[in-house]
């Protein structure tokens, strides 16, 4: 994770830079080849391994905590399809973000082994709370690319169809305490520092 110092203040509709110089991030939009601010706030610019910088606008200095490559994040699964899960990043480490960020967990980034056998719907379901790691700042739509391909990463909170919080019974299954029905998940081995975030 990284704390960024504000470069300057901006207002909605202010032209920030050319699309040739930066990719648009949170709080921005594109028009006629330029990136404009959609918020009043501070301009933050980040680059990832020599790639084109991503320019974002955050509302105040407390929001300058942004997910960075290598950061462990807690997110909520919003939707799934056969190729990836779309998530909303809510925490960096144990720190709550004032503005949520969008993330994607691709099928090939779910598990470290037997990647060809991974099925997204057997790993995550909408509503699941997942601990993941940022592997890339992603594309121009400000989607962070995340991975759960470590034992400590994966689903930490999931609810069954009966509405109960499910209990992990193995690295790939959780069980409803009410109905005792088992459901497949990519289960995380939760570390102590994340217990207060997920409970």
């Amino acid at each position: 994770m990284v704390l960024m110092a504000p470069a300057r203040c901006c207002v909605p509709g202010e032209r920030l830079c050319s699309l040739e110089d930066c990719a648009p991030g949170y709080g921005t939009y594109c028009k006629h080849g330029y990136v404009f601010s959609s918020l009043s706030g501070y301009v933050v610019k980040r680059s990832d391994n020599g790639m084109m910088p991503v320019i974002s606008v955050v509302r105040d200095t407390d929001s300058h905590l942004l997910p960075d490559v290598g950061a462990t994040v807690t997110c909520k699964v919003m939707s799934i399809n056969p190729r990836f899960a779309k998530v909303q990043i809510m925490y960096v480490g144990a720190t709550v973000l004032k503005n949520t960020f969008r993330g994607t967990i691709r099928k090939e980034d779910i598990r470290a082994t037997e990647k060809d056998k991974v099925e997204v719907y057997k790993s995550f379901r909408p509503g699941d709370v997942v601990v993941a790691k940022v592997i890339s700042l992603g594309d121009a739509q400000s989607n962070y690319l995340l991975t759960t391909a470590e034992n400590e990463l994966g689903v930490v909170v999931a609810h069954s169809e009966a509405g109960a919080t499910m209990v992990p019974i193995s690295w790939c299954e959780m069980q409803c305490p009410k109905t005792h029905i088992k459901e497949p998940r990519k289960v995380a081995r939760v570390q102590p520092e994340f217990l207060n975030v997920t409970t």
Side-chain angles (χ1 to χ4, degrees), residues 74 93-94 131 152 156 188-199:
T74 304
V131 172
E152 291 76 24
V156 289
R189 190 173 69 208
V190 181
Q191 299 301 295
E193 62 264 31
F194 292 106
L195 289 175
N196 62 337
V197 171
T198 55
T199 53

Side-chain angles (χ1 to χ4, degrees), residues 26 58-66 89-92 95-101:
Y26 180 84
V58 292
R59 288 191 184 278
D60 57 44
T61 50
D62 291 340
S63 304
H64 283 216
L65 185 65
L66 298 171
I89 300 169
M90 303 178 296
Y91 293 80
V92 174
T95 305
V96 148
L97 294 173
K98 292 208 171 164
N99 298 304
T100 57
F101 294 90

Side-chain angles (χ1 to χ4, degrees), residues 43-65:
V43 179
V44 177
K45 208 183 278 190
R46 293 168 301 129
S47 59
D48 175 24
N49 298 331
M51 292 169 62
M52 181 182 280
V54 176
I55 192 162
S56 305
V57 177
V58 292
R59 288 191 184 278
D60 57 44
T61 50
D62 291 340
S63 304
H64 283 216
L65 185 65

